[in-house]
Amino acid sequence: MSRDVRSTVFLPTTSFPMKADLPAREPLLLERWNRLGLWRRMRAQAAGRPKFILHDGPPYANGHLHMGTALNKILKDVINRSRQMLGFDANYVPGWDCHGLPIEWQVEQEYRKKGRDKDAVPIVDFRAECRAYAQYWIGVQSAEFQRLGVAGDWENPYTTMTFASEAGIYRELAKFLLSGQLYRGKKSVLWSVVEKTALADAEVEYHDHTSTTIWVKFPIEKTKEPDLSGTSIVIWTTTPWTIPGNRAIAYGPTIAYRVIEVGEVGEGSLARPGERLVIASERLAETADQARILTFATLAEIDGTALEGTVCRHPLEGLGGGYRFPVPLLPASFVTTDQGTGFVHIAPSHGEEDFELGRRYGLEIPDTVAGDGHYTEAAPGFVGIHVFKAAEPVIAALRERNALLARGTLVHSYPHSWRSKAPLIFRATDQWFIPMDGPHGLRAKALAAIEATRFVPAKGKNRLRGMIETRPDWCISRQRAWGVPIAVFVHKTTGEPLRDPEVCERIAQAFEVEGADAWWTRDPQEFLGDRYRKEDFEKVDDILDVWFESGSTHAIVLEKRPDLGWPADLYLEGSDQHRGWFHSSLLESCGTRGRAPYNCVLTHGFVVDAKGEKMSKSKGNVISPLDLMKTHGADILRLWVVSADYSEDIRIGKEILEGIGENYRRLRNTLRYLLGNLAGFSASERVPFEAMPPLERWVLHRLEEIGRLVRSCNEDYDYVRLYNAILNFCTIDLSAFYFDIRKDSLYCDSRNSLRRRAARTVLDILFDCLTAWLAPVLVFTAEEAWLVRHPGEEESVHLRLFPELPERWRDDALAARFERLREIRRVITGALEIERKEKRIGASLEAAPVLYLARSEDRALLEQVDMAELAITSGITVVEGPGPAHAFRLEEVAEVAVVPERAEGAKCVRCWRILPEVAASPERLCARCAAVVAELENGSA
RNA sequence: GGGCCCGUAGCUCAGCUGGUUAGAGCGCACCCCUGAUAAGGGUGAGGUCGGCCGUUCGAUUCGGCCCGGGCCCA
């Protein structure tokens, strides 16, 4: 052999590295896209196409990204990019939720560190600091989202705190006000009597607190149940000061109760022998013990349902001339027998459950306690006493009336103010509500809108419907500073809010110019104009709940921006947003526009650890997307997103990421192999479909099939299915079959050979398809691969569309033939595997098996293709018949038998096939290779 | 405690309206190749379909209970 044969072999060559090194390479691609102005180009290119609008649910502008926000944004990005490549104009405008308590809280904490007092700072200055704080985190999060490869209008996002947004949100509120869908009512909220303000849940700390507990007798006045007449209901409470506010007693309809008559009592007992009491059976022993009742007789056992319609007298009846009202017994599911007596005293002003129950049954909601913690005139006998000092006076009054059965103390977890550390109380306060029912029928509209909306997965519909069906009126007011004000004037004598469109418009215009601060800085008379006098009105100082704000983004973003549109095609958030954004957006939009702001709602689950448990700092199982960026890269994270079923909770952990890495390498190597074998490919080399060998036509058939899957999976938002299909295609069809078979042709056939040219034509198509299909997910890798093949300053895979594949490629009959061929091939590889184990062969090219086919259809199949080529053997002999008994067979492949034989002849030094003709060649080349080598020598000579 | 939901091989997922020995890829084990080489090919072992009890001729698929987990309320 005179020359280096290896140099005549067309081995793959590419600059696309096998090692991805994503953490280093991705930032370079991001820079390139910024230089290129890729986003603007994508928009310009899609101008005029049908729009696809995924409206971004605004994350809260506070803190770094976590796995949940990363999952959410990546999923949105995959969908948007896919729609863009499907031929839509998928503009994506990211947004941020900026107002609200957490930011106020952070700013206030910074104040405290510096020893400043928030209340001493003018509200407008405080709001400015909150604004700056939000702006800072918007910058941080924006950079982090972009690092994940999320494409969007990052230069022009929306936020809820721009002056335009504040004005827009106020205009939405004004729609509710002017249409009569806004009323002021009472609500029981956690209240600090020290700061004289309502507190939100996040401002509450729970500490142990020692409370005085009391057992109180409520004499029955009226009952249907004869066993109950002349008895008293016994309640237990940890807040004696709420007794003046009592208006009802709750019982459990499924709880068993007992009527007892007190026998002997111990020393100091407040119980009187002979008196009759009603207590839950399960709580009897404990209660008797506490009351020092030594003996008692059970007079009757009754079900909770027997208590229906029973009415008691108030235990303080007559005190200070008050408490002369009936105290009804009401059924409630929250009554338990874990503690107490199985009866819960209900003070509608002083507890959430109490309040809701009171509202449902139309109870009075008295203002028994003022903001500073002192009893009002509504608490006769206690006026001016502070509730924290009320236990003894209340107990004394109860004892006087023989209404106290026992007292004690209890150490329990109790809410305290995070600021003053003082214990909190529940107190009825004025709040603003949007009614769910009534003349506007918001609930009915919302339920109808849910029916008209597509939910992915479908179970989301039930969840949202269930919440809308049972929710109380929407309380939209908060007693805070950082938000859009409920800019409403209430008439001092009528108590009615002023509903004047001109006033509202003046307020809105002021907000547009100088932001919502105007509500605090301007003279109210400016808003009221000439027709009203500010002295006649009370200016509301509450702000809007942030859920109303984010619920209005459809109006201030989709409707207002000319590059978007209303309603949205899709809202996509985590499943917690059934209670949150899906919910508030639905109510806001139904209240103002009569329908949902979205046509489709997609929900995803939560990110959990490898065991399926939630990630938390205390468990130490938190995985940060920002860390993964540094160790794995965004494409790995993105691949993780599409490889998981987002309709359920999504696990992440070391093993899972390793698996994703394996799959990533498979995809990357597929692209690399394509690139390597496409070196120097040009259009002139292309072979028309009709001239292609069956194997190529089969690959094109598979491509066409997957091309349709790409479209249907996008329609269904089913990325796992698509991802698995593409991965399996690369692994089973390409790597293990098509690529393996075509190596011989690609490496050794003449450059002019039809077979090699057809193969390269198909590789080119494969490259086009795979880079496009992977581009929405592997945004960096697909771009990197694309640029290797299509270098150019202005080039980007993200400016492409998914290829339109000709339907004529579809050939189900051909696919069926290949299915059978691959079955037969499996019998051959199975037979060769035994030979390998027995060390009779190594490479499959060392074999030239005898293939016995009993079926004539199978023999006909083998006439259309070269089975040796498909099985990568040096030869094959096809014989009619069942084959000898010792032949290799597979149970699941009927009527196929293989007798392995070693290939006869010598090994071609170029293509490594073992053929008889090579033995006769002085250069040890097969006929094909000899011709190719000659061709190359002539060409180079 | 209540509402909604989930639980198929080590991992990620398929399994239509109940019906033959429950599938795929990855991983794993073994073997081969050394011209995709921190690659590639082949063969194989892995599942009492969370558990228990029902309905049924028959249940991974329907019902109940329990266990484990998640979201939202309380």
Side-chain angles (χ1 to χ4, degrees), chain A residues 463-771:
Chain A
R463 189 162 172 186
L464 187 56
R465 190 200 292 122
M467 288 177 180
I468 296 290
E469 276 170 349
T470 56
R471 67 154 298 144
D473 284 355
W474 187 9
C475 176
I476 59 163
S477 52
R478 296 290 182 272
Q479 289 68 52
R480 311 294 330 169
W482 177 228
V484 175
I486 298 185
V488 171
F489 293 101
V490 178
H491 196 272
K492 280 182 180 166
T493 50
T494 67
E496 277 295 302
L498 178 63
R499 298 189 178 93
D500 185 322
E502 289 177 23
V503 173
C504 291
E505 186 52 29
R506 279 194 287 272
I507 293 169
Q509 282 180 11
F511 285 9
E512 257 160 28
V513 176
E514 55 201 81
D517 286 358
W519 184 244
W520 290 279
T521 56
R522 294 285 200 93
D523 179 355
Q525 195 61 56
E526 290 180 44
F527 301 131
L528 287 166
D530 308 332
R531 289 171 48 199
Y532 310 99
R533 295 184 334 129
K534 69 177 178 187
E535 291 74 20
D536 297 336
F537 291 90
E538 172 203 340
K539 177 174 155 270
V540 174
D541 270 336
D542 292 354
I543 63 166
L544 278 165
D545 175 20
V546 286
W547 286 113
F548 184 90
E549 296 197 18
S550 58
S552 301
T553 58
H554 68 96
I556 64 172
V557 178
L558 298 184
E559 267 187 0
K560 292 287 153 54
R561 282 182 65 136
D563 57 342
L564 295 173
W566 192 96
D569 292 292
L570 185 65
Y571 272 36
L572 185 170
E573 304 299 333
S575 60
D576 56 333
Q577 298 302 325
H578 287 102
R579 170 68 58 187
W581 196 53
F582 299 146
H583 193 115
S584 60
S585 298
L586 177 72
L587 292 184
E588 205 288 332
S589 184
C590 285
T592 52
R593 289 152 180 82
R595 61 150 290 167
Y598 38 69
N599 290 324
C600 178
V601 167
L602 187 152
T603 48
H604 60 251
F606 272 63
V607 182
V608 292
D609 73 6
K611 290 184 217 146
E613 293 180 14
K614 98 156 104 180
M615 298 200 282
S616 72
K617 277 184 207 150
S618 56
K619 276 191 201 163
N621 60 353
V622 177
I623 295 176
S624 157
L626 304 172
D627 291 343
L628 289 183
M629 261 341 71
K630 292 175 203 145
T631 54
H632 293 71
D635 272 359
I636 298 295
L637 198 55
R638 299 177 64 99
L639 200 54
W640 165 74
V641 169
V642 293
S643 73
D645 177 1
Y646 60 72
S647 71
E648 294 173 27
D649 289 329
I650 303 169
R651 296 178 187 223
I652 193 163
K654 191 166 177 284
E655 188 183 4
I656 293 167
L657 284 167
E658 277 166 8
I660 299 294
E662 289 294 331
N663 292 339
Y664 173 82
R665 279 199 289 282
R666 168 68 71 176
L667 294 171
R668 186 175 178 92
N669 269 318
T670 302
L671 295 176
R672 183 172 132 90
Y673 188 75
L674 289 168
L675 284 167
N677 286 97
L678 280 166
F681 181 77
S682 68
S684 61
E685 209 177 306
R686 283 212 166 80
V687 169
F689 174 70
E690 290 72 19
M692 286 189 183
L695 184 59
E696 271 64 30
R697 293 167 76 140
W698 172 79
V699 173
L700 295 180
H701 163 84
R702 289 284 294 127
L703 267 182
E704 197 274 343
E705 206 166 52
I706 296 166
R708 274 184 286 124
L709 193 68
V710 166
R711 283 160 210 277
S712 72
C713 284
N714 269 295
E715 187 51 44
D716 300 339
Y717 301 110
D718 186 354
Y719 295 97
V720 204
R721 187 180 162 87
L722 182 57
Y723 160 80
N724 278 315
I726 291 175
L727 199 60
N728 279 348
F729 175 66
C730 289
T731 302
I732 303 168
D733 294 334
L734 295 183
S735 194
F737 189 62
Y738 180 65
F739 288 172
D740 210 26
I741 291 163
R742 274 295 179 253
K743 272 185 204 169
D744 174 74
S745 173
L746 289 165
Y747 296 177
C748 300
D749 274 352
S750 163
R751 281 174 173 147
N752 301 319
S753 100
L754 182 73
R755 183 167 67 175
R756 184 167 184 276
R757 284 172 51 207
R760 298 239 291 174
T761 305
V762 165
L763 294 187
D764 185 50
I765 296 166
L766 278 167
F767 184 79
D768 270 8
C769 289
L770 287 176
T771 48

Side-chain angles (χ1 to χ4, degrees), chain A residues 54-59 66-79 92 145 148 150 571-577 581-582 602-605 607 640-641 650:
Chain A
L54 192 172
H55 181 39
D56 190 33
H66 56 257
M67 212 40 104
T69 38
L71 163 75
N72 175 263
K73 275 289 199 287
I74 289 172
L75 200 48
K76 285 170 175 167
D77 190 50
V78 169
I79 289 172
Y92 176 62
F145 284 137
L148 294 177
V150 178
Y571 272 36
L572 185 170
E573 304 299 333
S575 60
D576 56 333
Q577 298 302 325
W581 196 53
F582 299 146
L602 187 152
T603 48
H604 60 251
V607 182
W640 165 74
V641 169
I650 303 169

Side-chain angles (χ1 to χ4, degrees), chain A residues 868-907:
Chain A
E869 182 182 66
L870 293 187
I872 319 182
T873 57
S874 284
I876 198 151
T877 309
V878 181
V879 178
E880 178 180 349
H886 69 272
F888 180 83
R889 292 177 178 82
L890 285 180
E891 208 181 329
E892 61 272 26
V893 184
E895 301 183 83
V896 178
V898 172
V899 175
E901 298 281 347
R902 284 194 60 91
E904 300 276 329
K907 180 175 174 179

Side-chain angles (χ1 to χ4, degrees), chain A residues 32 46 67 74 85 88 134 162 197 216 274 376 396 510 541 560 652 693 755 772 839 900 916 937:
Chain A
R32 180 177 185 278
M67 212 40 104
I74 289 172
M85 294 183 80
F88 288 91
T162 61
T197 181
V216 182
T376 66
D541 270 336
K560 292 287 153 54
I652 193 163
R755 183 167 67 175
K839 305 294 177 194
E937 280 168 353

